[in-house]
Amino acid sequence: MLSKVPLFFTGLFLLLFIVSASIVFPLVLSEPEINPFRYSVALKKLEIPPYSPSKENWFGTDRYGKDLFYNLIDGAKYTILFACIITIGRIFVSFILGLFFKRLFKSSWFSDLIQSFQYVPQSLIVLLTLSPFLFYELRNEPMFTTSETLFVQLLVLIAVGVLQLGKIIAETTELLSRTEYVNCSKLMGASYFQITTKHILPHLWPRLIVIAGRQFAHVLTLMLHLAIYQLFIGGVQITSGQEHDQFINYATVSNEWTGLISAYHKELMLEPFIVLVPVTAFALLVLCINMMTKDLEHHVNKRSLFK
C-alpha cells in the first residue's frame, strides 16, 4: 500500500508527524530529571553522565545528564519550522521581484552584481552580519532576547538568498513568456495581467514548489554551517565552569538540531553516540527533503513532456 503512495506525500507526512510530535511531546511529558550519578546493579559500579542508551534514556544522555531523546524531539520543531519559514519568505519575496521586476534582473550591471555574490558563501555573509549582534562577552548579557534573535536571524537569512533566487524566477518567467501560446495571446490583444494569470503562473507554480524544496535543503545546510561557528538558531548560551573562563561552552537555547551537532561535536572521540544522534536525525531530514524534491521534480518534468 505504501509503495503506491508518491514519495512526496510520504515525506510530507513524515515531516508533519515529526513537527506535531515535537509540539505535543514537551507539553505532555516534562523533561527528564538530570541525575548527576546513578548506581548500576548489573555492573555493580557507580556511573556518571554521559549515560549510554537504556530503558530510562532511549538515546542516552549528554555529558551534563540531559536526555538526548527529549532534546531531539524538542528541537525538531525549531529546526523544521525555522527552515520552512525562511524558505517561504525567500520564495515570496523572490517571486515578487522576479515577476514584477524582470527588467531589473535583465540589466547587465545588476546581473553581474548578483553573479559576483555567487562566489561568496552565504554563511560568511550571515556570520559577518549577525556576529556583532548575537555574540557577547561571558560576563555580559546578550543584546537581544530569544524572540528578537529569531526575528533578526529570519530577516538576514531570508535577505541573503533573495537576489539569486529572484534572478532564477525572473529567468524562468522570461522563458515562459517567450513560448508560442504567450506570443499568440499577445497578438490577440491580451494584457500583461491576463498573460501572467492565465499562461505564466499555471506553469510557474510547479517549478516554484521544486525550487522551494531545493531551497529548504539549502537553508538546512546553511544553518549547519552557521552552527559550526556557534551561531545557533534562537541564540547562543555562553557559559563556563572554569575559573577565569579558560574553557567557554557554547550551547543552543532551543535544542535545534544543528546547534546540538555543533555543541556535541567535541564528543566524537570520547562518546560518539552523543553527536551521532543529532547527526543521524539531521541526515534523515535532509534525505527526506531531497526525496520529496526529486519525486516532485520528476512529476513536473513528466507533466511538461506530455504537454
Side-chain angles (χ1 to χ4, degrees):
M1 183 66 181
L2 189 60
S3 60
K4 299 180 181 179
V5 180
L7 294 177
F8 175 80
F9 293 103
T10 304
L12 182 62
F13 172 78
L14 290 176
L15 289 181
L16 293 177
F17 175 77
I18 294 174
V19 173
S20 301
S22 178
I23 296 174
V24 174
F25 188 82
L27 297 176
V28 176
L29 297 176
S30 58
E31 184 176 2
E33 295 182 0
I34 298 177
N35 296 323
F37 59 87
R38 67 184 183 186
Y39 181 76
S40 175
V41 179
L43 299 177
K44 296 182 179 179
K45 68 176 183 179
L46 192 67
E47 295 180 339
I48 61 174
Y51 302 129
S52 302
S54 61
K55 293 181 180 180
E56 294 80 12
N57 307 108
W58 293 355
F59 294 163
T61 68
D62 61 11
R63 193 162 295 278
Y64 301 99
K66 294 184 177 180
D67 187 77
L68 292 178
F69 178 77
Y70 184 89
N71 289 348
L72 203 66
I73 294 296
D74 181 52
K77 56 181 177 289
Y78 298 105
T79 306
I80 298 175
L81 292 179
F82 192 83
C84 184
I85 293 174
I86 294 175
T87 302
I88 294 175
R90 285 185 177 186
I91 293 294
F92 178 75
V93 177
S94 302
F95 172 76
I96 296 176
L97 293 177
L99 193 63
F100 299 103
F101 297 92
K102 291 188 296 183
R103 295 182 180 179
L104 179 62
F105 288 95
K106 292 170 62 177
S107 60
S108 59
W109 68 270
F110 194 71
S111 179
D112 293 340
L113 178 63
I114 299 176
Q115 187 72 23
S116 63
F117 275 98
Q118 293 182 357
Y119 299 97
V120 181
Q122 292 186 3
S123 56
L124 179 60
I125 300 176
V126 177
L127 187 65
L128 294 177
T129 304
L130 293 180
S131 294
F133 302 100
L134 302 186
F135 286 117
Y136 58 94
E137 293 294 333
L138 188 60
R139 296 174 181 82
N140 296 333
E141 295 294 331
M143 184 180 300
F144 298 135
T145 62
T146 302
S147 57
E148 292 173 345
T149 301
L150 284 172
F151 181 74
V152 173
Q153 289 175 331
L154 278 174
L155 290 181
V156 175
L157 288 174
I158 290 174
V160 77
V162 162
L163 292 181
Q164 295 180 3
L165 187 56
K167 181 181 179 182
I168 295 175
I169 296 177
E171 292 175 349
T172 305
T173 305
E174 183 67 21
L175 290 175
L176 292 174
S177 62
R178 294 179 182 177
T179 55
E180 294 183 359
Y181 54 85
V182 172
N183 292 330
C184 293
S185 299
K186 291 179 180 179
L187 294 175
M188 295 176 65
S191 64
Y192 178 77
F193 179 77
Q194 291 175 330
I195 293 175
T196 302
T197 55
K198 298 295 183 181
H199 299 293
I200 294 181
L201 289 183
H203 296 275
L204 186 60
W205 289 128
R207 291 174 171 82
L208 283 179
I209 300 176
V210 174
I211 293 174
R214 295 174 179 172
Q215 282 293 311
F216 198 103
H218 175 73
V219 170
L220 288 174
T221 306
L222 177 60
M223 290 167 55
L224 184 59
H225 290 171
L226 296 175
I228 295 175
Y229 294 96
Q230 288 82 40
L231 191 61
F232 305 143
I233 302 304
V236 56
Q237 183 179 5
I238 304 177
T239 58
S240 175
Q242 302 293 327
E243 188 178 0
H244 304 301
D245 308 323
Q246 298 100 326
F247 302 100
I248 298 178
N249 299 320
Y250 299 89
T252 171
V253 298
S254 60
N255 287 330
E256 54 92 14
W257 292 355
T258 59
L260 292 178
I261 294 174
S262 176
Y264 294 154
H265 79 280
K266 297 178 182 179
E267 302 288 348
L268 185 60
M269 302 301 294
L270 302 175
E271 299 290 346
F273 75 90
I274 296 179
V275 67
L276 287 180
V277 168
V279 166
T280 304
F282 185 82
L284 291 177
L285 175 60
V286 175
L287 178 63
C288 182
I289 298 300
N290 290 335
M291 178 183 66
M292 295 169 58
T293 305
K294 288 290 184 181
D295 183 66
L296 186 61
E297 187 176 7
H298 172 73
H299 285 285
V300 170
N301 293 335
K302 186 177 179 181
R303 177 185 174 186
S304 62
L305 286 175
F306 278 109
K307 289 190 176 183

